[in-house]
Amino acid sequence: MTSDVISSKELSKVDPVFGQLSFDNHEQIVFCNDKDTGLKAIIGIHNTVLGPALGGTRMWNYNNEWEALNDVLRLSRGMTFKSAITGLNLGGGKAVIIGDAKTQKTPELMRKFGEFVHSLSGRYITAEDVGMTTEDMDTVREVTPYVTGISESKGGAGNPSPITAYGVFMGMKAAAKIKYGSDILEDKSVFVQGIGHVGESLVEHLMNEGARVTISDINQQRLEQVSSKYGVTIYEGHDIYSEPMDIYAPCALGATINDETIHKLKADIIAGAANNQLADEAKHGRMLQEKNILYAPDFLINAGGIINVYAELENYGKQEIIRKTENIYNTTLEIFEGARQNNVTTNVSALSIAKQRIADRKRDQQK
């Protein structure tokens, strides 16, 4: 006869959400499973004070489910602050699908995922992220209206990647304005780490401005394609963080700014598209400040994508998308100035503005 009593030691092992370091008062975590399609997904809804939680779906071959949970918690939290600081009436959410997008993604799996999204009745609205395409969002749209980033031919705003890259470019130029006195990036050495759709679009903007661009990626074929297309240099070394550069642009996965890499970094500026670049927000933000490396907060400068998909909800056109994305430049300058005046890190400066907007809205709702 077995006992149903679980010891405190065992309990800590099975505490799936509240015990996670990345849990930050998330409102709702949904675990999705479907045997027939092989779907294993997690939807994280962090905060809906400003509006429904909007954030993309990432399909990634995680090492384990704990890693996937940690990712969705960190990503959904970041989306809350991204929408808040950009002035959008949206909350923060994100979804991850566990699996290899190249071999395990099927239309049936995407439709089943869409059914789970639909079951949340609009509290979460999904969109495209790593491992996803506009066509995948079109498939999800077959079973739920709570999806953005669908094809322009179907009335959507299309692929958000070019707009995301443009916003990063605007943030990078604002950082250059502060660091160098000019926002012209001509002859600045920029290392772009990760050349997916966003990274490639960023490379194009940089090359058009005359920057000296070096690229790195785990996909050698992509490296050769982008190098050939834009005439940029492929990084052939073994430790990109030790290389002399003016600007480091992380555009792959997050947490590349950590205890190990910060000590090596020689860059003046960090400005990239990756989410959650600081492995530890408080600690690594301070370390960058002490090294006089100017960090453009990722959740601010990579907001072009959510601006693009938000257009589908608010029915505004390309001109307004571009205007809102270009305004990332001004907001970035404000964040830097706030950090200087208050003697805080740029990340703290950005977070404080985002959190204040949420607090103000919550107070208004309670009146």
Side-chain angles (χ1 to χ4, degrees):
M1 185 175 180
T2 58
S3 171
D4 290 331
V5 178
I6 301 176
S7 71
S8 59
K9 185 176 181 181
E10 290 174 318
L11 188 62
S12 66
K13 292 180 181 179
V14 297
D15 188 2
V17 177
F18 301 113
Q20 290 287 300
L21 291 175
S22 301
F23 180 74
D24 182 42
N25 294 311
H26 284 68
E27 293 177 5
Q28 190 174 6
I29 310 296
V30 181
F31 293 84
C32 314
N33 179 63
D34 181 66
K35 182 179 179 181
D36 292 339
T37 61
L39 175 71
K40 290 186 181 297
I42 310 172
I43 299 171
I45 298 175
H46 178 249
N47 188 288
T48 57
V49 170
L50 294 175
L54 193 151
T57 296
R58 169 174 295 184
M59 188 166 186
W60 191 256
N61 205 11
Y62 294 97
N63 291 318
N64 53 62
E65 292 170 11
W66 292 99
E67 190 177 274
L69 174 60
N70 183 62
D71 205 25
V72 80
L73 289 171
R74 282 170 59 88
L75 290 167
S76 56
R77 176 180 181 271
M79 292 305 299
T80 293
F81 302 131
K82 184 182 300 191
S83 290
I85 202 165
T86 312
L88 307 180
N89 293 322
L90 292 170
K94 206 79 174 185
V96 297
I97 297 176
I98 301 170
D100 188 331
K102 294 178 181 176
T103 61
Q104 294 176 278
K105 184 172 59 178
T106 64
E108 291 76 21
L109 181 141
M110 293 309 305
R111 278 191 285 270
K112 180 55 68 174
F113 172 71
E115 290 175 14
F116 279 106
V117 171
H118 192 69
S119 72
L120 294 169
S121 303
R123 276 178 57 79
Y124 169 66
I125 302 170
T126 197
E128 179 185 333
D129 202 309
V130 176
M132 290 290 150
T133 66
T134 305
E135 289 72 28
D136 293 326
M137 295 305 103
D138 291 344
T139 301
V140 172
R141 187 57 177 261
E142 293 174 13
V143 295
T144 182
Y146 304 123
V147 55
T148 56
I150 59 174
S151 300
E152 293 183 66
S153 62
K154 297 182 182 296
N159 181 8
S161 297
I163 302 298
T164 301
Y166 188 51
V168 172
F169 183 61
M170 289 291 105
M172 188 183 290
K173 285 173 74 67
K177 178 72 173 177
I178 297 296
K179 201 72 177 177
Y180 306 123
S182 168
D183 63 12
I184 303 301
L185 299 174
E186 185 176 6
D187 289 329
K188 298 299 180 190
S189 62
V190 184
F191 276 57
V192 180
Q193 183 186 41
I195 48 167
H197 297 307
V198 176
E200 180 181 343
S201 294
L202 179 60
V203 166
E204 183 176 9
H205 287 300
L206 290 167
M207 291 303 291
N208 288 341
E209 190 144 321
R212 292 182 289 113
V213 179
T214 303
I215 57 174
S216 71
D217 198 280
I218 58 174
N219 187 328
Q220 187 64 32
Q221 185 179 3
R222 280 289 294 164
L223 283 172
E224 291 169 3
Q225 287 173 345
V226 174
S227 175
S228 174
K229 187 174 180 179
Y230 301 100
V232 295
T233 302
I234 297 175
Y235 179 62
E236 303 285 1
H238 301 289
D239 188 3
I240 191 173
Y241 306 104
S242 297
E243 299 293 336
M245 66 185 82
D246 295 317
I247 302 171
Y248 167 51
C251 295
L253 297 181
T256 60
I257 311 301
N258 52 54
D259 287 346
E260 182 181 347
T261 60
I262 289 177
H263 293 298
K264 301 176 185 178
L265 275 172
K266 301 179 178 70
D268 296 323
I269 292 168
I270 298 174
N275 289 305
N276 302 313
Q277 292 167 24
L278 304 179
D280 183 317
E281 284 182 359
K283 178 184 179 182
H284 297 133
R286 285 194 303 272
M287 289 174 70
L288 291 176
Q289 186 181 33
E290 289 164 2
K291 283 198 70 173
N292 200 29
I293 297 175
L294 185 59
Y295 171 63
D298 50 59
F299 64 87
L300 166 62
I301 69 170
N302 69 10
I306 198 166
I307 290 170
N308 190 70
V309 296
Y310 187 59
E312 294 180 24
L313 304 179
E314 294 297 307
N315 295 314
Y316 57 75
K318 283 290 184 185
Q319 283 188 318
E320 183 65 6
I321 291 173
I322 296 298
R323 188 194 68 78
K324 285 180 180 291
T325 304
E326 287 179 341
N327 195 52
I328 288 174
Y329 179 96
N330 298 319
T331 307
T332 306
L333 291 178
E334 290 171 18
I335 294 303
F336 291 154
E337 179 60 20
R340 186 191 66 79
Q341 288 182 354
N342 299 310
N343 193 28
V344 296
T345 67
T346 55
N347 200 66
V348 167
S349 178
L351 279 173
S352 63
I353 292 175
K355 288 179 177 179
Q356 188 60 53
R357 181 168 181 244
I358 295 168
D360 289 346
R361 176 66 62 84
K362 192 169 186 178
R363 188 178 62 248
D364 292 343
Q365 291 172 348
Q366 292 172 343
K367 286 181 179 178

